[in-house]
Amino acid sequence: MISITELNKIKAEQEGIVAMRREGEAKIADLNAQGKNYKHHVLVCGGTGCTSSHSEDIIVAFNDEIKKNGLENDVCVVRTGCHGLCALGPIVIIYPEAAFYANMAIEHVPEIVTEHLVNGNIVTKYLYEKTVTPNGIISMHETDFYKKQNRVALRNCGVIDPENIDEYIGTGGYQALAKVLTEKTPDDVIQILLDSGLRGRGGAGFPTGRKWMFAKANKADQKYVCCNADEGDPGAFMDRSVLEGDPHVVLEAMAIAGYTIGSSQGYIYVRAEYPIAVQRLEIAIKQAREYGLLGDNILGTGFKFDIGLRLGAGAFVCGEETALMTSIEGHRGEPRPRPPFPAVKGLFERPTILNNVETWANIPQIIMRGPEWFAAMGTEKSKGTKVFALGGKIQNTGLVEIPMGTTLREVVEEIGGGVPNGKKFKAAQTGGPSGGCIPASQMDVPMDYDNLIAIGSMMGSGGLIVMDEDNCMVDIAKFFLEFTVDESCGKCAPCRIGTRRMLEILEKITKGQATMDDLDRLEKLAAHLQKSSLCALGQTAPNPIISTLRYFRDEYIAHIVDKKCPAGVCKDLLQFSIDQDKCIGCGLCAKNCPADAISRTDYIAPGHKLASMAIDASKCVKCGACMANCKFKAISKQ
């Protein structure tokens, strides 16, 4: 068990090493800090995305080449969390030069070790191209992807070794817990959170300080602190990345919450599909217990608090707080009626506070830097920053953290690098299945809790999926509703039955079998679900439908009245045809047709030697193989 004095000693030993990896300090930091004589730090992304692209093999290759060149005492290789720019993974950053190597491959490693680490020459051909300018190499934080970001929740991701507690302490880790235990009363902590304006990052945006205040006011003999790491939105990976890159920040924040509300036990509910996050949480909890930062008599103050892990089976409904608690108790994850709210009667029928991973990740910094610092970022009613998982039809897929109030246009066109292949931006979907679609006409609306709700979407946990002109908005609404139908727990009739009826109508629309009466029925069902469903899953399930009807009603009408899908997506409404004057008669389309629907005609186009091909619409299964294999763009779909 360490004391506060020993905690400060570890911080002093590590802070120079960690600071060297932070932008702006790389050139001035003492590379021989605290007797560590490493001349270079090789940071390799160990997040899920880069790991799936063999970053673990790259780490092995670096260590082998370093050993081969006798550099073991000069170079250390550090497995970090996500750096954010997932489109360029695997990512390797070498300090002190801050050289950002993108799309790394094992075969690049020997050259980088020889040229960069031995000879001192940065290998520019492997650098992220945006860091190479006519005036020389610039920092990654000067690129369009990073320069508008403000990494608060993600501050340590991509910087520290998440499996080394000393490195977390070197960033100032566990100092907030020490400060709270020795200098602040529980009421002081609550007031700091209230003054900061921190709202829950899990979707609803409820003020964190008020939630803690309600739980503290309850005089029960046992209370609980829970972390919601059951991130289920399609395309969302914000919480996973924090857990993979900085797990101790969640443990520290939960311990602070335990002290504040009078709890001795916390639980982290994380989905089992996050094996790397689970592994790093297990390591972090073990290390924190060994250091006495979890358990009895923390930092010699007499405060007792411990944390247990509970793995979820991947049910989306368990992201709802009461269903999550029911699952922790060992029952089938189903929501409970509210009130009573968890702060009164939650886990095991005891007062409970629950926040998601991103919310927890903000708290230690708010304690250390003050509520004014946090409140200075963002908008009047939405303070701080927000992490988004940027995906879909976008150049720079990845993880971004921006001040609240940043516009969608800034995110898509500047940070995201725009829509690829010269396509036009059509919409962005925020909030996952519970959110709505934001059209191009609303791209300049500042993104915060209230503005997104006003335009028919919601913040949600932070998924942001970009769509271009080739996306059908009716099909998008159907996709999210299919997800909701599958994930409904079935406890309440409005959600269990209503979502299926809405999906049936959407299927009729995409098949060209619906009438305008079906559209009216769809809107009425959506309104009923919003009012009568038991939990937020059912209440928000109609949001993708409502928002697409609001901004893209013409597409619904085209499907119903004209029996056409303007985007050419809905299979049952497609017709493939061959322009016989463009067709050279090569026969590739017929060879690749699985239904033998293409045959040769008697027509030979001017300038061609072979008769052109034609499609038999009665046999066509509309798979698109013919169009994909035509090299002369003679096949089109309508």
Side-chain angles (χ1 to χ4, degrees):
M1 178 185 297
I2 64 172
S3 65
I4 293 177
T5 301
E6 291 168 319
L7 182 72
N8 291 333
K9 182 181 178 182
I10 296 171
K11 178 177 181 292
E13 290 174 349
Q14 294 289 324
E15 59 187 356
I17 300 166
V18 175
M20 189 271 289
R21 303 174 193 163
R22 292 197 186 278
E23 191 49 44
E25 298 175 88
K27 295 179 181 178
I28 63 173
D30 178 12
L31 299 185
N32 296 315
Q34 317 305 326
K36 301 290 186 181
N37 297 312
Y38 294 123
K39 295 178 180 178
H40 287 95
H41 289 210
V42 179
L43 273 57
V44 183
C45 175
T48 292
C50 287
T51 299
S52 69
S53 299
H54 309 294
S55 65
E56 289 295 319
D57 295 332
I58 290 170
I59 291 173
V60 172
F62 265 110
N63 283 322
D64 288 346
E65 289 296 321
I66 287 167
K67 184 177 181 180
K68 188 186 300 181
N69 286 272
L71 299 174
E72 300 99 312
N73 296 322
D74 294 325
V75 180
C76 69
V77 180
V78 181
R79 179 190 293 101
T80 71
C82 179
H83 291 87
L85 193 43
C86 302
L88 301 181
I91 289 171
V92 173
I93 303 178
I94 298 182
Y95 287 101
E97 297 86 355
F100 187 113
Y101 291 110
N103 299 121
M104 279 295 298
I106 296 173
E107 54 265 28
H108 301 159
V109 174
E111 185 178 359
I112 289 175
V113 171
T114 301
E115 287 300 314
H116 189 152
L117 300 179
V118 176
N119 298 329
N121 301 316
I122 295 175
V123 188
T124 56
K125 64 182 177 181
Y126 299 139
L127 290 177
Y128 171 33
E129 60 179 7
K130 301 294 185 182
T131 64
V132 182
T133 71
N135 299 320
I137 298 170
I138 64 171
S139 155
M140 62 184 250
H141 292 286
E142 297 176 77
T143 63
D144 288 339
F145 182 80
Y146 288 103
K147 67 184 180 183
K148 285 201 170 184
Q149 294 192 49
N150 188 353
R151 290 166 76 88
V152 177
L154 300 178
R155 68 186 291 263
N156 289 332
C157 295
V159 175
I160 66 171
D161 177 355
E163 297 181 15
N164 186 339
I165 189 173
D166 288 351
E167 290 203 358
Y168 176 68
I169 293 172
T171 69
Y174 290 106
Q175 293 291 320
L177 177 60
K179 183 176 182 177
V180 163
L181 294 180
T182 59
E183 300 177 18
K184 304 293 182 184
T185 67
D187 287 334
D188 290 336
V189 177
I190 289 172
Q191 192 60 51
I192 288 171
L193 294 181
L194 291 172
D195 292 343
S196 74
L198 176 65
R199 296 172 65 174
R201 282 356 189 205
F206 191 81
T208 304
R210 287 181 60 194
K211 181 182 289 187
W212 291 24
M213 180 174 62
F214 295 149
K216 176 187 175 296
N218 198 302
K219 302 303 181 183
D221 58 345
Q222 178 63 58
K223 303 177 187 179
Y224 294 101
V225 174
C226 290
C227 171
N228 181 354
D230 189 65
E231 188 173 48
D233 292 2
F237 52 96
M238 303 77 59
D239 292 350
R240 185 195 74 200
S241 295
V242 173
L243 295 177
E244 291 176 349
D246 194 17
H248 282 283
V249 74
V250 176
L251 307 188
E252 181 179 12
M254 292 179 68
I256 291 170
Y259 167 77
T260 303
I261 72 165
S263 168
S264 61
Q265 181 64 51
Y267 291 98
I268 299 175
Y269 187 88
V270 57
R271 54 182 44 223
E273 292 97 324
Y274 285 178
I276 296 176
V278 171
Q279 178 187 22
R280 291 180 184 163
L281 276 171
E282 289 173 341
I283 292 170
I285 290 172
K286 182 173 182 287
Q287 291 174 339
R289 286 173 179 162
E290 289 173 351
Y291 273 44
L293 296 166
L294 288 177
D296 297 331
N297 195 26
I298 294 173
L299 293 172
T301 64
F303 172 58
K304 176 182 178 181
F305 186 78
D306 203 1
I307 293 175
L309 280 184
R310 294 295 183 269
L311 303 188
F316 181 65
V317 73
C318 286
E320 194 276 338
E321 60 181 4
T322 62
L324 183 152
M325 294 174 196
T326 303
S327 182
I328 290 178
E329 293 169 357
H331 305 297
R332 186 172 187 265
E334 291 181 336
R336 305 167 183 167
R338 296 181 303 174
F341 291 95
V344 176
K345 189 177 181 181
L347 184 63
F348 302 117
E349 300 189 348
R350 297 292 191 275
T352 305
I353 59 171
L354 181 142
N355 292 108
N356 83 322
V357 171
E358 186 184 344
T359 309
W360 291 119
N362 283 285
I363 289 169
Q365 289 186 78
I366 292 174
I367 300 294
M368 294 305 296
R369 304 180 73 168
E372 299 81 10
W373 161 78
F374 189 81
M377 297 180 285
T379 63
E380 182 181 353
K381 294 183 179 180
S382 299
K383 305 297 185 182
T385 61
K386 182 71 189 77
V387 181
F388 287 97
L390 187 58
K393 306 287 187 67
I394 192 73
Q395 196 72 39
N396 298 329
T397 57
L399 209 60
V400 303
E401 184 171 5
I402 52 176
M404 290 278 196
T406 303
T407 65
L408 179 61
R409 186 181 301 279
E410 291 175 280
V411 174
V412 172
E413 296 182 357
E414 297 179 40
I415 297 173
V419 178
N421 305 318
K423 299 289 186 176
K424 293 181 181 178
F425 172 86
K426 186 172 187 177
Q429 211 271 351
T430 64
S434 302
C437 294
I438 306 171
S441 61
Q442 302 291 337
M443 284 187 79
D444 294 311
V445 172
M447 289 196 296
D448 63 17
Y449 290 103
D450 302 306
N451 283 332
L452 287 180
I453 290 173
I455 61 174
S457 188
M458 64 182 294
M459 185 73 71
S461 58
L464 201 164
I465 300 174
V466 178
M467 290 164 275
D468 67 11
E469 58 195 83
D470 292 336
N471 285 105
C472 169
M473 303 312 294
V474 183
D475 183 65
I476 290 293
K478 183 167 75 109
F479 167 78
F480 282 110
L481 197 60
E482 285 172 338
F483 179 86
T484 306
V485 167
D486 285 341
E487 294 294 338
S488 173
C489 74
K491 184 173 184 177
C492 73
C495 181
R496 181 180 70 249
I497 301 171
T499 54
R500 288 191 176 276
R501 296 293 86 84
M502 288 195 297
L503 180 58
E504 289 169 1
I505 294 172
L506 285 175
E507 287 173 341
K508 285 178 67 176
I509 293 173
T510 57
K511 291 179 180 178
Q513 300 170 353
T515 67
M516 292 302 291
D517 288 340
D518 289 313
L519 200 60
D520 293 337
R521 191 175 300 111
L522 183 65
E523 291 184 280
K524 289 178 181 177
L525 273 170
H528 283 307
L529 254 72
Q530 286 182 316
K531 294 177 182 177
S532 55
S533 293
L534 174 62
C535 79
L537 186 148
Q539 293 163 9
T540 59
N543 285 353
I545 296 172
I546 293 170
S547 65
T548 52
L549 277 170
R550 178 177 178 180
Y551 296 112
F552 302 98
R553 181 176 286 268
D554 58 322
E555 290 196 27
Y556 282 85
I557 294 173
H559 283 70
I560 295 170
V561 177
D562 301 329
K563 311 300 180 187
K564 289 184 178 180
C565 174
V569 171
C570 297
K571 185 176 176 180
D572 291 287
L573 300 180
L574 291 182
Q575 287 186 340
F576 287 87
S577 61
I578 298 176
D579 186 331
Q580 295 189 340
D581 287 324
K582 288 183 179 180
C583 177
I584 68 166
C586 67
L588 275 176
C589 54
K591 290 179 182 178
N592 287 279
C593 178
D596 293 325
I598 303 176
S599 59
R600 195 174 298 279
T601 68
D602 296 329
Y603 177 75
I604 301 177
H608 296 162
K609 297 180 180 180
L610 298 174
S612 63
M613 313 299 291
I615 299 174
D616 183 344
S618 65
K619 294 182 179 179
C620 179
V621 295
K622 303 173 184 179
C623 66
C626 56
M627 189 173 175
N629 285 279
C630 181
K631 299 178 180 179
F632 303 95
K633 300 188 183 301
I635 303 177
S636 60
K637 63 179 179 179
Q638 297 178 345

